[in-house]
C-alpha cells in the first residue's frame, strides 16, 4: 500500500510517495517526488496512507540538500519505467552535483545516436523522482535551460542552489 506525505521545500510543497521497505533506511522506499504544477505529477489516491513518520529519513535528506549541506542522496527508491527510461535515468543519476550535461551527451553516454535526443528528453521528462534523480542538471546543447517537468524556474533554482553551495 502506498504511503505519502507532503513536505515544505524552496520549490513549493513536495509530495513524497513511497512503499514500505525492509531494506530502506527509515523503512520507506521512495517511488515519487512531485511538485505543484508538475507535468505527470503523482496525485494522492483514496487507498494511500498518509504517514509523515515513514518519510523522516527522506525528508531530512531533502532538507539538508535544500540547505546546501548535502550533495547527494542515500535514499532507496523504486520506480518502473521502460528499459530505455531506466538506462537514461541511470545516466542522469551519474551526473555530479553542481555539474550540468546535455541531452546529446546523455544519448552518447548510453550508446544511442544523437538522433535519439528527443527520446532521451522524453525519458528524462518521465522521471518520477525530481531532485533526487537530478534531471535538472540536463540542459540544452546551447547551454540554455530547457525542459523540466516542474518548470524552468524551478530548474534554475536548483542549479543556482548547487552552484552557490559549491562556491
Amino acid at each position: 500500500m502506498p504511503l505519502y506525505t507532503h513536505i515544505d521545500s524552496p520549490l513549493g510543497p513536495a509530495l513524497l510517495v513511497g512503499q514500505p521497505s525492509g531494506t530502506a533506511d527509515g523503512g520507506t522506499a521512495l517511488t515519487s517526488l512531485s511538485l505543484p504544477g508538475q507535468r505527470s505529477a503523482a496525485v494522492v489516491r483514496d487507498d494511500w496512507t498518509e504517514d509523515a513518520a515513514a518519510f523522516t529519513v527522506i525528508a531530512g535528506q531533502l532538507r539538508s540538500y535544500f540547505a546546501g549541506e548535502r550533495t547527494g542522496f542515500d535514499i532507496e527508491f523504486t520506480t518502473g519505467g521502460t528499459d530505455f527510461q531506466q538506462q537514461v535515468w541511470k545516466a542522469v543519476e551519474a551526473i555530479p552535483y553542481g555539474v550540468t550535461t546535455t541531452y546529446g551527451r546523455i544519448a552518447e553516454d548510453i550508446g544511442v545516436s544523437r538522433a535519439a535526443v528527443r527520446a532521451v528528453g522524453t525519458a528524462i521528462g518521465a522521471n518520477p523522482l525530481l531532485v533526487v534523480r537530478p534531471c535538472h542538471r540536463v540542459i540544452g546543447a546551447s547551454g540554455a535551460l530547457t525542459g523540466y517537468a516542474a518548470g524552468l524556474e524551478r530548474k534554475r533554482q536548483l542549479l543556482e542552489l548547487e552552484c552557490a553551495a559549491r562556491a
Side-chain angles (χ1 to χ4, degrees):
M1 170 185 324
L3 306 171
Y4 76 95
T5 195
H6 292 91
I7 64 165
D8 291 329
S9 84
L11 307 174
L15 170 63
L16 306 180
V17 182
Q19 294 284 342
S21 169
T23 57
D25 187 13
T28 302
L30 189 65
T31 59
S32 175
L33 188 159
S34 300
L35 297 166
Q38 173 187 329
R39 285 189 321 265
S40 303
V43 177
V44 176
R45 298 182 186 162
D46 290 340
D47 62 336
W48 291 6
T49 302
E50 187 167 11
D51 186 354
F55 293 91
T56 301
V57 170
I58 295 167
Q61 288 191 31
L62 286 163
R63 285 186 189 99
S64 293
Y65 168 82
F66 288 125
E69 300 163 354
R70 176 178 276 279
T71 61
F73 298 96
D74 184 21
I75 295 172
E76 182 179 314
F77 52 85
T78 60
T79 56
T82 66
D83 288 344
F84 181 75
Q85 286 173 327
Q86 289 178 19
Q87 260 188 305
V88 171
W89 295 342
K90 185 175 181 180
V92 169
E93 290 166 15
I95 304 168
Y97 180 89
V99 174
T100 58
T101 192
T102 65
Y103 296 92
R105 180 65 192 196
I106 295 286
E108 289 174 15
D109 288 350
I110 65 169
V112 297
S113 75
R114 283 200 162 278
V117 167
R118 283 194 178 184
V120 167
T122 299
I124 290 171
N127 172 20
L129 297 169
L130 295 187
V131 182
V132 174
R133 182 181 290 132
C135 55
H136 59 276
R137 297 178 188 152
V138 184
I139 60 174
S142 69
L145 298 186
T146 58
Y148 190 62
L152 293 181
E153 177 58 23
R154 287 184 176 133
K155 185 173 193 165
R156 184 193 59 74
Q157 285 178 277
L158 290 167
L159 293 174
E160 286 179 357
L161 167 80
E162 292 185 7
C163 183
R166 285 187 62 176

